[in-house]
Amino acid sequence: MELGKYGVTESSQLSLEVFFYTDTEEKARRLVEDLIALKYNVEVILPEQPNERFLVNGWSPKMQMDEITVVQWTRQMCDLGQSHDCEFDGWGTTPELED
């Protein structure tokens, strides 16, 4: 795992930052409702320009960083995004800021 360079092991517990894009505020808000139900801290960021998409951005609860968990979680996020007509654009994390 690439995060190993930063001291992350399979037993590490980290929050993951999520990024979703969609074309309407309504779709973004419905996705946010589902993510909040999963205990995510998320928000909708409105487009700055007329042709830009809405961004749903936020953080997951902490999870184990083993490969199986992260791959399953990524699939779940892809499926959740698709169910709301939103594109899951990936994730990031900040292991240096975690306890």
Side-chain angles (χ1 to χ4, degrees):
M1 185 181 293
E2 184 71 21
L3 291 172
K5 295 178 185 176
Y6 302 98
V8 176
T9 67
E10 290 197 349
S11 62
S12 296
Q13 298 258 334
L14 297 174
S15 295
L16 301 181
E17 186 175 18
V18 295
F19 305 90
F20 294 88
Y21 289 95
T22 193
D23 59 346
T24 72
E25 186 172 3
E26 182 179 342
K27 292 174 188 176
R29 298 233 178 258
R30 287 185 181 163
L31 174 62
V32 164
E33 289 173 7
D34 280 359
L35 289 168
I36 288 172
L38 295 171
K39 307 276 191 256
Y40 284 60
N41 181 5
V42 290
E43 66 179 333
V44 175
I45 298 173
L46 304 176
E48 293 182 11
Q49 302 296 320
N51 293 327
E52 291 181 346
R53 299 181 292 169
F54 292 83
L55 169 63
V56 174
N57 177 242
W59 290 88
S60 75
K62 286 186 178 185
M63 69 180 72
Q64 189 124 356
M65 294 305 297
D66 63 277
E67 186 173 351
I68 291 172
T69 301
V70 174
V71 168
Q72 288 175 343
W73 173 84
T74 301
R75 254 188 233 120
Q76 178 190 19
M77 291 299 103
C78 289
D79 292 346
L80 184 61
Q82 186 176 24
S83 74
H84 290 284
D85 195 23
C86 298
E87 174 189 355
F88 177 58
D89 192 42
W91 59 272
T93 191
T94 53
E96 67 278 3
L97 299 178
E98 298 282 338
D99 295 331

